[in-house]
Amino acid sequence: METINGLLDFLKQVVITTLSQLFWLLGLLFVFGFLLYIFARLTRITYVKSVGQKLDIIVTGWIGTPVHELGHLIFCLIFWHKVTGVKLYSPNAEDRTLGYVNHSYNPNSTYQKIGNFFIGAGPIIFGALVLYAIMYYLMPNSSAIFSGVKVEGSAFIREVRSDIGGFFITLWGAAKTTLGNLLRAENFSDFRFWIFLYLAISISSHMQLSPSDIKGAGGGLLALILLFLVVNLIILGIEAIGLSAHFGSWWNYVKLEHYSMSINRCLGNFGALFAFATIISGLNFAVSYILLTIYNLVKGKGLINPVW
């Protein structure tokens, strides 16, 4: 009976560890993906009810859409999917798409199945990295913003182990810190700031996932869950039967504590970048709404309702 109880406790630990890791991985993507979608939708409606959506597509789409599609394409290549068609920027009035990446994969390959998740979520992941790069090269006070991003990343790591309320408090703090560093008076006189702001708005406003992106990511979710489950099963199993002692100091890099901390650190850093993208997208909506509402009032069309 003790053996059975021990086995059940072991399996319980494996499942709880896996669910905890997946909860925060998927939670970050869901929360920020949802916020990016909301801001993008509000901005689109604001344009439609004032100057028309075509202007939004022209102003931001020619940069944001290729970055979005490259997010899909890069992960297609990483996970060995066969790319059957690519249009980085090709607005289609009939189906209202701005670009696409068509691909196929071997359904018998677990690696390629897992790739579906990252291909679907690619625009958020790649878009965040591109934002980080242009911030590094263009922002006059990039060092201050980088420091803020690192602090936010550390805070997100702590909140991964805490509660969801603390997570949103951290997000609010990140928004204030980021906007404070971005909107410094000295930045407004530097042309690099305006280039960065335009590129950042264009990219972040097209990072949101489409329904087909979400469906594609869902196709790889089960394989991803199984991967985490197997890895945790192996690591915890080796520790449970005492084999970890045979690996010497090398085991310190593989054991669950180090492995989980690496995941949390990665989640924290990406969480900070996702938060940064969300803040920029929200700023884009706020500025667009104010300017286009003024335009509407001048034209005698009244206030814009961006919700419906």
Side-chain angles (χ1 to χ4, degrees):
M1 186 62 69
E2 290 183 3
T3 302
I4 295 176
N5 289 340
L7 179 61
L8 291 176
D9 288 338
F10 168 72
L11 293 176
K12 178 182 176 181
Q13 184 183 6
V14 171
V15 171
I16 290 175
T17 300
T18 302
L19 291 178
S20 175
Q21 293 165 345
L22 289 170
F23 174 78
W24 287 108
L25 170 63
L26 300 177
L28 281 177
L29 290 173
F30 173 79
V31 170
F32 290 114
F34 179 73
L35 290 174
L36 285 168
Y37 170 80
I38 291 297
F39 284 132
R41 179 173 174 78
L42 292 175
T43 304
R44 299 284 185 280
I45 293 175
T46 300
Y47 270 90
V48 168
K49 292 187 175 182
S50 55
V51 294
Q53 189 176 359
K54 283 187 177 180
L55 182 61
D56 177 43
I57 294 173
I58 293 171
V59 172
T60 65
W62 72 280
I63 293 176
T65 302
V67 173
H68 179 107
E69 300 304 336
L70 280 172
H72 293 309
L73 180 60
I74 288 172
F75 281 104
C76 281
L77 299 177
I78 290 174
F79 286 93
W80 304 344
H81 281 222
K82 181 180 180 181
V83 178
T84 57
V86 177
K87 288 287 185 181
L88 294 182
Y89 183 62
S90 180
N92 188 320
E94 294 182 2
D95 58 14
R96 303 178 70 179
T97 59
L98 301 180
Y100 62 84
V101 174
N102 294 331
H103 59 98
S104 60
Y105 68 99
N106 179 3
N108 296 320
S109 169
T110 301
Y111 181 71
Q112 292 187 27
K113 284 183 180 178
I114 293 172
N116 283 327
F117 176 82
F118 291 97
I119 292 167
I124 291 183
I125 300 171
F126 182 67
L129 293 174
V130 173
L131 281 178
Y132 189 80
I134 63 173
M135 179 172 62
Y136 177 82
Y137 287 112
L138 291 176
M139 277 304 295
N141 61 327
S142 60
S143 58
I145 297 178
F146 276 143
S147 298
V149 169
K150 288 180 181 178
V151 170
E152 292 158 20
S154 299
F156 277 118
I157 292 172
R158 290 194 299 271
E159 298 308 330
V160 162
R161 298 177 176 272
S162 184
D163 61 282
I164 194 67
F167 174 84
F168 282 105
I169 291 173
T170 302
L171 179 59
W172 175 246
K176 292 191 292 185
T177 301
T178 301
L179 288 176
N181 287 326
L182 274 177
L183 304 179
R184 287 184 177 180
E186 59 268 26
N187 286 346
F188 290 94
S189 60
D190 193 314
F191 74 95
R192 292 175 299 169
F193 167 75
W194 296 104
I195 296 175
F196 163 78
L197 192 61
Y198 172 64
L199 292 176
I201 286 175
S202 298
I203 293 168
S204 63
S205 63
H206 290 271
M207 281 174 60
Q208 80 278 6
L209 303 181
S210 67
S212 60
D213 294 339
I214 296 172
K215 182 179 179 181
L221 185 57
L222 179 59
L224 184 66
I225 292 173
L226 290 176
L227 173 66
F228 273 87
L229 195 62
V230 169
V231 170
N232 289 327
L233 185 65
I234 292 173
I235 292 176
L236 291 173
I238 290 175
E239 289 183 341
I241 61 179
L243 283 179
S244 57
H246 296 284
F247 291 89
S249 60
W250 182 80
W251 184 253
N252 291 327
Y253 298 99
V254 182
K255 64 181 182 180
L256 185 64
E257 290 82 359
H258 186 274
Y259 157 62
S260 296
M261 184 56 67
S262 298
I263 292 177
N264 288 344
R265 188 180 298 111
C266 182
L267 288 175
N269 290 333
F270 269 102
L273 292 175
F274 293 158
F276 180 75
T278 303
I279 292 164
I280 294 296
S281 186
L283 180 64
N284 177 38
F285 164 65
V287 172
S288 298
Y289 181 79
I290 292 171
L291 294 178
L292 293 176
T293 296
I294 293 173
Y295 171 83
N296 254 26
L297 291 173
V298 171
K299 291 290 185 178
K301 297 180 181 179
L303 294 174
I304 299 172
N305 181 355
V307 180
W308 60 78

